[in-house]
């Protein structure tokens, strides 16, 4: 583009250019996903050629979204239009799929700004987006009614089982959802304990029998703090 500038930023002893820098004026880039591509077989000054093609992508947006900001995991307003639709804000996404918390994922569908969706009061919704080769963009929202939000989460319940509650036999160790995707429980210990998180109230799911062994990392038996 006219707003792109290329310059040599490193020279060899023979005066050849060893490193090129390409700069582009931000104002010249449209909002959306962009990429920089380098073909396979491009030669350098010594005659060596690139062994494979190279591609790097980046996104330009006016405001942070789940695509440009990986720290965004919940999106107010995702559940919209009186809990009858989902309003997406994932610029650059090509595909999406939806899940009511705990249910099966829907099939992948082409990205759209608004999706008709049956939202259950108090049950969170998760949306996963596919963007430029990656499907790691997931956001959630939860609503009790059209003007009251609740916390989004992967699971409807969470339990903490450990030595002190006899791994759930003495107390189920139920935790509370205190924020989006954040579970908490108040417990006091006077010794080091082993513990395990589980999103179900029993041991119906097994992770297999593990060999008895010491901890992988050296840890103190008890931290007095």
């Amino acid at each position: 583009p006219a707003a792109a500038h290329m310059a040599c930023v490193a020279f060899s002893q023979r005066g050849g250019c060893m490193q090129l820098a390409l700069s582009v004026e931000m104002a010249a880039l449209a909002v959306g996903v962009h990429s920089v591509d380098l073909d396979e077989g491009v030669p350098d000054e010594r005659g060596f050629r690139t062994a494979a093609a190279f591609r790097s992508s980046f996104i330009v947006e006016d405001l942070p979204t789940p695509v440009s900001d990986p720290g965004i995991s919940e999106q107010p307003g995702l559940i919209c239009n009186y809990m009858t639709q989902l309003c997406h804000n994932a610029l650059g996404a090509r595909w999406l799929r939806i899940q009511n918390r705990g249910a099966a994922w829907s099939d992948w569908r082409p990205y759209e700004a608004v999706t008709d969706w049956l939202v259950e009061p108090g049950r969170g919704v998760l949306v996963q987006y596919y963007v430029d080769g990656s499907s790691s963009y997931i956001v959630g929202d939860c609503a009790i009614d059209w003007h009251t939000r609740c916390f989004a989460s992967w699971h409807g319940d969470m339990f903490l089982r450990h030595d002190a509650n006899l791994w759930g036999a003495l107390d189920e160790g139920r935790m509370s959802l205190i924020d989006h995707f954040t579970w908490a429980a108040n417990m006091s210990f006077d010794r080091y304990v082993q513990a395990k998180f589980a999103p179900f109230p029993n041991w119906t799911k097994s992770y297999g029998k593990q060999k008895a062994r010491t901890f992988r990392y050296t840890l103190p038996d008890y931290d007095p703090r």
Side-chain angles (χ1 to χ4, degrees), residues 6-178:
M6 182 174 291
C8 185
V9 295
F11 295 89
S12 67
Q13 293 180 349
R14 293 181 295 174
C17 185
M18 296 181 61
Q19 183 176 345
L20 285 172
L22 176 66
S23 60
V24 180
E25 295 180 10
M26 182 64 69
L29 294 176
V31 172
V33 178
H34 301 265
S35 65
V36 177
D37 298 86
L38 182 65
D39 294 334
E40 178 183 351
V42 176
D44 65 8
E45 66 164 3
R46 298 166 297 176
F48 295 108
R49 296 180 178 272
T50 53
F54 170 82
R55 185 172 189 268
S56 178
S57 60
F58 61 96
I59 188 167
V60 176
E61 291 185 328
D62 296 326
L63 296 171
T65 71
V67 176
S68 63
D69 185 351
I72 297 177
S73 58
E74 57 90 15
Q75 179 184 320
L78 176 64
I79 297 175
C80 61
N81 296 331
Y82 300 94
M83 302 175 65
T84 63
Q85 295 179 317
L86 301 179
C87 295
H88 307 284
N89 184 23
L91 182 68
R94 294 181 56 193
W95 300 87
L96 64 85
R97 64 175 184 167
I98 307 166
Q99 178 198 74
N100 284 332
R101 188 196 64 215
W105 285 98
S106 70
D107 293 332
W108 287 98
R109 65 183 70 186
Y111 179 80
E112 54 194 353
V114 179
T115 302
D116 292 330
W117 190 259
L118 179 61
V119 177
E120 300 179 29
R123 187 176 183 180
V125 176
L126 300 172
V127 182
Q128 183 176 18
Y129 300 105
Y130 177 89
V131 183
D132 197 36
S134 173
S135 57
S136 60
Y137 307 97
I138 301 178
V139 293
D141 194 12
C142 184
I144 298 174
D145 51 49
W146 67 272
H147 63 274
T148 307
R149 295 188 72 209
C150 43
F151 296 133
S153 174
W154 284 100
H155 308 287
D157 297 290
M158 186 62 65
F159 301 86
L160 179 61
R161 301 192 181 95
H162 46 80
D163 297 336
N165 65 10
L166 300 181
W167 299 100
L170 184 63
D171 176 81
E172 64 179 359
R174 181 178 294 273
M175 305 183 73
S176 299
L177 187 62
I178 62 170

